[in-house]
Amino acid sequence: MNQKHIPIVQALQAHERKQPLSFHVPGHKYGQLQVFEQLPEFQSFLQYDVTEITGMDDFHSPEGCILEAQQLLTDLYGTRKSYFLVNGSTVGNLAMVMAVCQEGDTVLVQRNCHKSIIHALKLAKLRPVFVGTAEDERTETAGGVELETIQKAYRCYGSVKALILTYPTYYGGAASLQEIIEWAKKNGSFVLVDEAHGPHFILPKPFPESALVMGADIVVHSAHKMLPAMTMGAYLHVQSEAVPLEELEFYLQVLQSSSPSYPIMASLDIARAYLASITEADILFTVKMRDKAAALFHEKQIDTVFPDDPLKLVLRKKGYTGYELQAKLEESGIYTELADPLQVLCTFPLLKEGECEFMNQLETKLEICRLEERYMPLSSIKLPVYQEGLIELALPYRLQVHCPTEWVTLQEAAGRIAAETIIPYPPGIPFIMKGERMTARQAGVLRELLTQPIHIQGGEQLSKGKLAVFSEAQSNG
């Protein structure tokens, strides 16, 4: 297929050339209302925010430009069938879990999964067994699962409907899943992979290999994270003939908007065409620019760590927490992906050969960045590395609804069953999951995290040093 073709964009352009008069939704009428006259750039953008009118196809039952765009996506990734998602990877994670699992099924889940996976488990009323991870020693964060742990899980649990993995990690760790996927499929499980940060992994080395190539049944990509797509733009790929497409498409319709965004779909079309256009020379140039960026940071005495994904770069500065380093960079106009107590994470774009403006701007902004030397020792606190082994919820989802809760201090929380989910965001990985029994280490790290300028989702009374827990007497009864 002609991967240079961008059917949704071309359909939008053809429609705009007609200078249409809108007697249909949306209410901004292509941005032609007086309210937009003082926002010309926004007004220009709105001319492409159409709806499912004649010539623009139907997102949930495509026959025209959307169908052609998804066929090009399928061709590029070499899958059985691929889909555009307009509600982010979140909706892909929800749909893939609910499509292949039934209520009560046992599933193995990588512990450092995104919160959307946790939501899927609860909505589907599954029995999750969380698989602990080893530490990624480069970034000192949670890494991937290990084959030995997966093998132990299959020995302990006779029937596992699905293995749900996260690959790569947010920080760009991408240890091969090949043996793990083969083991899971040999034991009759579906393999579902949240590959949100790896839509570019179909490119050749030095990029890691995609889970699609390694045999995963369903893979979800956040195109907006690492490709030039708009926020909420994502892909879902089905590789296996065993996946029930009718069930999957039902959940995609249920969970996605019935009024899909055409700008998001157009950006997904553009991102697919852009990825298809990347050459070996572009890849070499991108890595060269990443290395140049690292050299520029080194001139400011900022240390760099290189994960497996060449589009990720970790920054550290002696005497600074990650939050302090991030704040200093922002003062110079450099906005990074996230900070943790130890470091800052940067994501780089895929560049075309000779595309230097991005790096020129970095060089200019770093020139005005002021980082005084510090020698004070830092706290040893860091984002949690999840314990190895297998972890089940102490209170299953079906019992949580009926169990009363109480508030305790963080000191008293160790050994109790959490009644709320605590999520440092980003990266959106639950540190404490509702229904799990908290360890003394978790309670201690949470107390320390609260001394840092970290944003946490959940924890209604965390600012008061309290956490909701389930009543043990009621849950045991």
Side-chain angles (χ1 to χ4, degrees):
M1 299 181 73
N2 181 7
Q3 288 291 339
K4 294 181 179 180
H5 189 37
I6 314 175
I8 295 178
V9 173
Q10 291 161 346
L12 286 168
Q13 290 172 331
H15 183 69
E16 192 273 333
R17 285 194 294 268
K18 297 175 183 177
Q19 298 183 322
L21 180 63
S22 171
F23 278 88
H24 58 77
V25 299
H28 59 67
K29 308 303 178 187
Y30 304 115
Q32 295 172 359
L33 301 184
Q34 185 176 355
V35 68
F36 298 108
E37 289 181 358
Q38 296 180 342
L39 301 165
E41 294 178 355
F42 195 54
Q43 186 178 48
S44 176
F45 172 79
L46 288 177
Q47 66 184 321
Y48 296 109
D49 185 29
V50 305
T51 190
E52 295 165 306
I53 55 177
T54 301
M56 294 311 303
D57 208 358
D58 179 349
F59 179 62
H60 291 292
S61 184
E63 298 177 345
C65 62
I66 298 173
L67 174 62
E68 186 178 357
Q70 292 188 152
Q71 288 172 335
L72 284 162
L73 182 68
T74 299
D75 177 68
L76 176 63
Y77 280 89
T79 61
R80 176 186 173 196
K81 191 170 185 179
S82 294
Y83 302 83
F84 284 178
L85 305 177
V86 295
N87 291 65
S89 285
T90 290
V91 76
N93 287 340
L94 293 172
M96 73 175 178
V97 171
M98 298 179 77
V100 303
C101 298
Q102 303 295 322
E103 181 175 346
D105 282 345
T106 298
V107 293
L108 301 179
V109 186
Q110 188 167 325
R111 174 59 180 86
N112 58 331
C113 62
H114 189 262
K115 63 177 184 175
S116 58
I117 294 292
I118 304 296
H119 297 160
L121 301 175
K122 186 170 183 178
L123 286 172
K125 299 179 181 178
L126 304 179
R127 180 197 179 194
V129 178
F130 294 96
V131 181
T133 64
E135 180 176 12
D136 185 329
E137 295 180 353
R138 296 162 300 180
T139 60
E140 298 186 46
T141 59
V145 297
E146 298 183 329
L147 177 61
E148 293 76 12
T149 311
I150 295 296
Q151 291 172 331
K152 177 182 176 182
Y154 278 97
R155 288 194 297 268
C156 293
Y157 299 92
S159 178
V160 176
K161 188 63 173 288
L163 171 63
I164 305 172
L165 300 170
T166 302
Y167 169 90
T169 67
Y170 206 133
Y171 288 79
S176 176
L177 299 176
Q178 187 74 56
E179 290 183 296
I180 290 172
I181 291 175
E182 289 175 358
W183 186 271
K185 299 193 80 169
K186 184 175 70 173
N187 283 272
S189 299
F190 285 102
V191 179
L192 314 178
V193 181
D194 175 3
E195 197 171 275
H197 287 260
H200 53 302
F201 283 6
I202 60 166
L203 294 173
K205 290 182 178 180
F207 293 103
E209 198 169 46
S210 172
L212 285 168
V213 177
M214 290 185 271
D217 295 292
I218 307 178
V219 170
V220 174
H221 284 146
S222 277
H224 71 91
K225 283 184 168 67
M226 307 304 295
L227 301 179
M230 288 178 61
T231 298
M232 292 179 67
Y235 302 136
L236 184 148
H237 309 281
V238 177
Q239 189 69 288
S240 169
E241 293 292 333
V243 173
L245 291 185
E246 184 176 348
E247 195 76 4
L248 177 66
E249 291 172 0
F250 167 76
Y251 282 109
L252 288 176
Q253 289 199 37
V254 167
L255 297 168
Q256 294 201 98
S257 174
S258 59
S259 299
S261 165
Y262 273 82
I264 290 176
M265 285 191 284
S267 75
L268 287 170
D269 208 10
I270 291 168
R272 183 268 315 154
Y274 185 79
L275 180 61
S277 75
I278 296 295
T279 65
E280 184 176 346
D282 297 330
I283 294 171
L284 292 173
F285 180 77
T286 294
V287 174
K288 179 181 177 181
M289 291 300 99
R290 192 276 313 268
D291 292 344
K292 180 180 178 181
L296 291 172
F297 285 120
H298 275 269
E299 290 177 8
K300 293 290 183 179
Q301 285 74 53
I302 298 174
D303 297 323
T304 55
V305 177
F306 296 92
D308 297 312
D309 182 0
L311 297 189
K312 297 289 178 75
L313 183 65
V314 174
L315 309 178
R316 296 173 182 166
K317 173 72 173 172
K318 185 177 180 180
Y320 287 75
T321 67
Y323 306 110
E324 292 168 335
L325 177 57
Q326 184 182 57
K328 283 293 186 180
L329 292 171
E330 288 179 356
E331 288 176 6
S332 305
I334 300 169
Y335 287 81
T336 56
E337 176 66 19
L338 65 81
D340 67 35
L342 175 66
Q343 59 211 349
V344 168
L345 174 65
C346 300
T347 65
F348 276 77
L350 273 172
L351 297 171
K352 300 295 289 184
E353 186 178 18
E355 189 175 355
C356 296
E357 181 58 27
F358 183 83
M359 290 302 304
N360 291 340
Q361 288 189 45
L362 174 62
E363 191 166 5
T364 299
K365 292 180 183 299
L366 275 177
E367 286 177 358
I368 62 173
C369 182
R370 297 291 176 260
L371 289 163
E372 64 273 13
E373 292 302 308
R374 294 180 178 178
Y375 301 100
M376 73 278 289
L378 290 178
S379 166
S380 60
I381 182 177
K382 57 185 179 181
L383 284 182
V385 174
Y386 301 102
Q387 66 268 35
E388 297 181 9
L390 307 175
I391 311 107
E392 286 200 65
L393 293 179
L395 190 64
Y397 296 127
R398 61 184 174 81
L399 297 180
Q400 292 178 16
V401 179
H402 307 290
C403 188
T405 63
E406 56 185 297
W407 296 95
V408 299
T409 65
L410 295 182
Q411 289 87 346
E412 297 168 329
R416 300 296 300 274
I417 301 174
E420 54 185 346
T421 299
I422 307 299
I423 307 171
Y425 206 92
I429 298 167
F431 171 44
I432 295 172
M433 294 186 298
K434 186 176 181 179
E436 79 170 329
R437 191 175 296 279
M438 287 177 288
T439 65
R441 179 172 172 271
Q442 281 177 307
V445 171
L446 182 56
R447 287 197 301 272
E448 292 190 69
L449 281 175
L450 292 175
T451 68
Q452 304 290 323
I454 187 172
H455 177 67
I456 291 180
Q457 295 180 346
E460 183 180 337
Q461 294 192 28
L462 272 183
S463 61
K464 301 177 183 178
K466 292 187 175 182
L467 196 69
V469 297
F470 286 110
S471 170
E472 292 289 306
Q474 292 291 331
S475 63
N476 290 334

